[in-house]
Amino acid sequence: MTAQNLNIQENNKPKQWLNKVSLNADYDITQVLTRWGNWARKEAYQQRKVFSLYQSQRKEYKQVCLDKDGLIIDGIISAMKNSKIAKIKEEAKVLIKFYYGDEMIVNDHLYIERSKTQTSSTLIIKPKNLREIAKDLACSEGNIRKIKSSGESYIIGALSMQTMLTGTELELLQHLVF
């Protein structure tokens, strides 16, 4: 974290005041959130007992974070979804669609005999790109990019705050190569 014009006190009188603080994370938040999204999809498939769909996914969708890290990020995104501020709710919505995806249920009908059919439902979770999210939310791709960036900054801030308060950081950060 860098700061300009820090509040330096001499004899209990402020000499300079803090004007600007910018937070520079020493990790790539997109890698962290991508692994969180993969972890969340894996958990969803396991809960619905369709783990074979997870196994058949591409390799980049199989790199997951640890459960502890996933729960921390999940908690931050849940807090964003439950926020009273509409902008933060929208950021959470975009992050979920981009990193986790949309859940789709596909119904399959299998004809056994002339009058008998068997129906099965399959859950598919597919992450969306910025263009698809923009189409869903009826706004421009550039606007979605700004909202996504703002949401990522919110998560960086929340993770930094957690590190400052508890002294612990995500274990995932120790294993990522930047």
Side-chain angles (χ1 to χ4, degrees):
M1 182 166 51
T2 59
Q4 296 174 348
N5 297 331
L6 293 174
N7 180 5
I8 302 170
Q9 293 185 350
E10 290 180 5
N11 301 327
N12 293 330
K13 293 181 181 177
K15 185 176 179 182
Q16 293 178 331
W17 290 98
L18 180 67
N19 282 342
K20 181 180 179 183
V21 173
S22 63
L23 182 65
N24 296 323
D26 54 351
Y27 54 88
D28 184 10
I29 192 66
T30 58
Q31 287 184 0
V32 172
L33 290 175
T34 299
R35 290 190 180 198
W36 164 79
N38 295 345
W39 172 84
R41 272 193 306 282
K42 179 182 176 184
E43 293 295 313
Y45 282 136
Q46 283 180 334
Q47 286 178 357
R48 292 176 176 92
K49 296 181 178 32
V50 286
F51 195 65
S52 61
L53 284 175
Y54 171 75
Q55 294 294 342
S56 65
Q57 290 186 347
R58 295 188 307 235
K59 185 178 179 181
E60 67 259 17
Y61 289 146
K62 292 184 181 178
Q63 295 177 342
V64 298
C65 60
L66 299 173
D67 286 344
K68 177 184 165 189
D69 296 345
L71 289 172
I72 290 169
I73 296 170
D74 219 30
I76 294 169
I77 290 185
S78 293
M80 289 173 73
K81 281 177 29 179
N82 296 329
S83 175
K84 293 181 180 178
I85 302 170
K87 180 179 180 271
I88 294 174
K89 283 184 179 183
E90 188 176 36
E91 291 169 0
K93 189 176 185 179
V94 169
L95 290 176
I96 290 169
K97 285 180 177 283
F98 188 80
Y99 290 107
Y100 174 72
D102 273 345
E103 295 182 358
M104 299 176 284
I105 296 178
V106 178
N107 294 319
D108 293 327
H109 300 284
L110 178 65
Y111 293 99
I112 300 172
E113 293 178 10
R114 180 181 288 192
S115 61
K116 294 183 182 179
T117 59
Q118 183 179 8
T119 304
S120 65
S121 298
T122 306
L123 172 74
I124 298 174
I125 305 170
K126 181 181 178 264
K128 292 190 165 196
N129 60 32
L130 294 177
R131 182 173 290 143
E132 292 169 336
I133 296 170
K135 185 177 177 184
D136 287 350
L137 300 179
C139 61
S140 71
E141 191 176 336
N143 193 20
I144 294 298
R145 188 174 287 111
K146 289 176 188 175
I147 293 169
K148 178 181 162 275
S149 176
S150 179
E152 290 169 346
S153 297
Y154 183 95
I155 291 180
I156 289 172
L159 290 173
S160 298
M161 189 66 154
Q162 177 196 358
T163 302
M164 285 183 1
L165 292 176
T166 64
T168 60
E169 62 179 21
L170 298 177
E171 291 180 31
L172 171 67
L173 299 178
Q174 298 165 3
H175 303 292
L176 286 177
V177 177
F178 304 108

